[in-house]
Amino acid sequence: MLEQELCMVRTDDFLEVMHELVAFVRAAEAGSFSAAARRHGMTPSAVSRQVARLEKTMGVSLMQRTTRHMRLTEAGMEVLQRGREMVAAAEASMRVVEGHVGSPRGLVRISAPKAFARHVLHQPLLAFLYSYPDVDIHLLATDQPVDPLREGFDLVVRLTDDPPQGMVARTLMPVKQMVLASPSYLASNPRITIPEDLMAHSCLSIGEQERDNRWRFARGDNQVEVTVAGRYTLNHSVMRLEAVEAGLGVGCVPDFVALDAVAAERVVRLLPDWAFDTNYQGIAYLLFSPSRYTTPKVRVLIDHLVSALKPLAPPPTT
């Protein structure tokens, strides 16, 4: 019966008495207008008027009042149940937005290529988690393209020379591929002084795209493309570096993966005066949706990563 009566209430009327419905719920829970009034800094008469307006709008009596007590009618008990659900939902909604305003809190989802996530992002993310105990991170390490809007990621790291339109792109660092060989391999094989020399060597290609065995080099106006071949083709940069260190041949490895091995002289960089042109290098950008209201949890993570990788970023162009 109550639902039939409520159907007679226009939506606009209901929206106009939202405050009154909350006042009714508080009064019913407190057991009196006076107790509800003290709790919310109002006068008992103000609470009573709000409940009366709600009853008038709904066309039904919700409370039976005496000078000392109130008792809910059958309709009042049903409205209280639904009203409690509404108030609880509103309170839950306010808790949800705590992660979007005020101090940083909540979950941030970020995607990055596997090797970049392991060798570049992992340590800065650990430091961030220690600094912001109320923020959680879900890191998806994948080499597959990720659509941040469709797949629900707050941040995406992408290696490219052409950031996508419609996204904010913050520069993290440049990424270059290095052509490497182990000292033992170089000691027992012909010298490599120009790109064409690679055709006589066992070379480890990435093997993800058809042209991955065609290595392109440039020095000034001189551009060279050589077709290489080898016994081992693999698309995992760390494993490729390990194969190079094991003396299986010449391989290309991202600089952020290879730097420690180069510094320790486990591998030697080849053709350093030639620029190695490959699809697997460029600028590592941190991408996110443009918004006037970037949430604190996302904003502090953006600032943290940009600051942590700033020594590796290229100088700004003028």
Side-chain angles (χ1 to χ4, degrees):
M1 179 181 299
L2 175 60
E3 290 183 355
Q4 293 177 345
E5 293 171 340
L6 290 177
C7 287
M8 300 174 60
V9 180
R10 301 195 321 269
T11 301
D12 289 346
D13 290 338
F14 173 73
L15 293 175
E16 291 174 0
V17 293
M18 290 288 286
H19 291 295
E20 285 74 7
L21 180 58
V22 174
F24 165 73
V25 170
R26 298 308 191 197
E29 290 178 335
S32 70
F33 294 142
S34 298
R38 287 194 300 270
R39 181 178 176 183
H40 297 285
M42 303 171 64
T43 63
S45 59
V47 177
S48 178
R49 287 195 298 271
Q50 286 183 319
V51 174
R53 284 198 295 270
L54 179 63
E55 290 176 319
K56 182 178 180 180
T57 301
M58 301 183 76
V60 64
S61 175
L62 302 175
M63 291 179 172
Q64 293 178 348
R65 306 162 177 82
T66 67
T67 55
R68 294 187 178 182
H69 302 287
M70 66 169 61
R71 185 173 67 85
L72 296 180
T73 65
E74 182 179 353
M77 288 188 287
E78 292 188 44
V79 171
L80 175 61
Q81 178 182 353
R82 304 293 178 82
R84 277 174 169 165
E85 294 172 358
M86 183 202 73
V87 172
E91 291 175 341
S93 297
M94 295 302 295
R95 287 193 295 271
V96 166
V97 301
E98 287 178 355
H100 298 265
V101 297
S103 60
R105 65 178 61 248
L107 176 66
V108 180
R109 301 186 73 221
I110 179 172
S111 168
K114 291 180 180 178
F116 193 89
R118 172 65 185 90
H119 290 272
V120 178
L121 286 187
H122 184 52
Q123 291 301 323
L125 289 179
L126 290 179
F128 176 87
L129 288 168
Y130 279 112
S131 299
Y132 293 91
D134 293 329
V135 180
D136 301 330
I137 291 177
H138 175 189
L139 170 64
L140 176 67
T142 176
D143 293 326
Q144 299 301 314
V146 170
D147 184 331
L149 297 179
R150 184 170 58 86
E151 300 181 48
F153 282 90
D154 301 291
L155 300 170
V156 170
V157 175
R158 187 169 298 172
L159 180 61
T160 179
D161 288 321
D162 186 22
Q165 297 293 321
M167 300 289 292
V168 180
R170 295 288 301 274
T171 299
L172 293 179
M173 58 182 286
V175 173
K176 299 292 184 182
Q177 292 277 344
M178 303 176 71
V179 180
L180 308 169
S182 69
S184 62
Y185 178 87
L186 294 175
S188 57
N189 286 276
R191 292 182 62 191
I192 301 173
T193 58
I194 59 174
E196 289 88 347
D197 291 338
L198 293 171
M199 292 187 289
H201 287 262
S202 175
C203 295
L204 289 71
S205 293
I206 295 175
E208 289 187 350
Q209 301 178 21
E210 184 178 353
R211 293 178 57 87
D212 280 352
N213 66 331
R214 300 179 184 178
W215 291 7
R216 303 182 303 274
F217 296 86
R219 184 172 64 181
D221 295 331
N222 189 12
Q223 297 186 1
V224 177
E225 180 177 284
V226 296
T227 300
V228 299
R231 299 176 53 209
Y232 199 10
T233 300
L234 67 166
N235 67 343
H236 192 288
S237 58
V238 175
M239 294 173 64
R240 199 161 54 253
L241 175 62
E242 291 174 348
V244 170
E245 292 185 33
L248 285 179
V250 179
C252 57
V253 179
D255 51 4
F256 59 81
V257 175
L259 287 176
D260 287 344
V262 173
E265 299 182 348
R266 297 195 304 270
V267 294
V268 177
R269 184 180 181 184
L270 305 178
L271 305 172
D273 54 338
W274 288 81
F276 184 41
D277 181 15
T278 170
N279 295 331
Y280 303 98
Q281 62 186 14
I283 301 295
Y285 288 101
L286 189 61
L287 305 177
F288 52 97
S289 300
S291 174
R292 183 179 175 186
Y293 303 106
T294 302
T295 60
K297 60 182 181 179
V298 173
R299 187 171 60 249
V300 293
L301 181 54
I302 293 170
D303 293 342
H304 175 82
L305 292 178
V306 170
S307 176
L309 303 183
K310 187 176 181 179
L312 304 176
T317 58
T318 57

